[in-house]
Amino acid sequence: MKLSVRDRPLPGESFAGYLIRLADYNGRRTVNELLGPIGLDEKASLFASHQQAMEHACQLIAPMINYPVESLVNHFQEQFINSWVFNETRKIRSITLSQPRICIQCCVQAEEPFIHNHWALLPVTHCTQHSSVLIDSCPGCNTQLEWTFDIFRTCNACGLDWHDHTTEISNIPFWQQEFETLLQINKNELLDWLDSFCEKVIKSARPLDQYHDAIYSIPAQTTNILALVKQAYDPDQKQMEWPPEGFVKARRLKLQDTINQHIRQDGFALALGIKPVDVTSLVQSNLITPIYNSPVVRDMLFNIRDADRLIKNVKVIDSCPEGYIEVSAESGLLGLYDAKYGQLLSKAVVDGSVYRFVYSNNLNCIYVEKKRLVSHLESLLEESCAGLIPIQRALRILRISRDELTALIKNGTLRLGRHSSTANRIIGSSLWAFINTSHSSLTRRQNRLKSFGIR
Ligand SMILES: [Zn+2]
Ligand SMILES: [Zn+2]
């Protein structure tokens, strides 16, 4: 099948724009109508952002316009292959938009209007020729522009003729100037610039969220892209929030009521002033329930308000009370019992025998009643002596040398697992019995406790 109008792509024309222009010239309304009959049933937005889709389409179109496939692919390839267009480690991996944007001046004034490929780049918000704002939705009815044949002339929702609209003219904004300058002179610096630009934009889309997922590209349904970029550089203004679809992970959409309060384990730990591993202890003791649980820590979701609630749950005081001791994750006392700070924190909070300093807004340091502290630590040690204990851990708990440990195993005081797979672990009950009966072990612990001012 040959097309009756076989226009070649114009210099700087975008691939999706070219398809829609070709459709228009040949009396088809959409790219689907143009390519459907030759077996391509894809949306134009796909051709705007995916190289393989472009190459595949070129193979089918080239014969229709009597043009070599290779020349056609070469013409558009540059829009897809540049390292700065797509970068795996960026917050927004591809800066190519799949939704159309146009300059109304270009559409109205050009003899042969077409869609420039750089209009699809996120940092480009204005037409360089006319200094006018690129629009992504109709200025009359706010409907998002679509890849349809009439995009060069009218809004396909309300029929507004672009001739009847006065476009907003302003200076090319600084972000676009910076982007275009770096594009010309320094590709390495451009990559850094884009990292920071994308990070700002992603935060701008969801200014009230606690953290921001990395995304492939700006969601196809996103409109008001100029406002999105503007807000990225002016976060103090009254903030607009874009819909979460496409900006946040699918699992978070199911919890939309609390979306602004979602936080990952690292952020949750930071809010509490503790280490991420200590959050795990709080979860295990049911003091905190993740709103989305997963064996992959990175995927777990918490509600930031649960951190506030937990902090408020701990009474405040202006100095360490009589009979109490200050404990933090660094306290040597914890090491003495091979306990984690989060474990002790959980026990102390449940027990209620705990304070925090009045001016501290987190739990990185607490005051625990000395008597309760020892019993908490002992019960933690007992809990950790359940099951089989790796040799290294036993050495840490007992604070003895490997030779001494070997001797204890030889004389039957400490017993090893019976199966070959457990023969390098100590049966916890024998360890616990030794801790509580061995004179040297008890004395060592007593002396350490004394050095901390306890007992
Ligand atoms: Zn223009
Ligand atoms: Zn309209």
Side-chain angles (χ1 to χ4, degrees), residues 103-106 119 127-130 132:
C103 162
I104 286 192
Q105 297 289 315
C106 280
W119 291 351
C127 168
T128 31
Q129 195 189 335
H130 299 103
S132 54

Side-chain angles (χ1 to χ4, degrees), residues 211-213 262-269 298 300-302:
Y211 82 97
H212 300 87
D213 293 305
H262 294 176
I263 194 158
R264 283 184 298 202
Q265 178 153 345
D266 51 354
F268 193 76
R298 193 177 63 239
M300 282 173 92
L301 282 180
F302 294 85

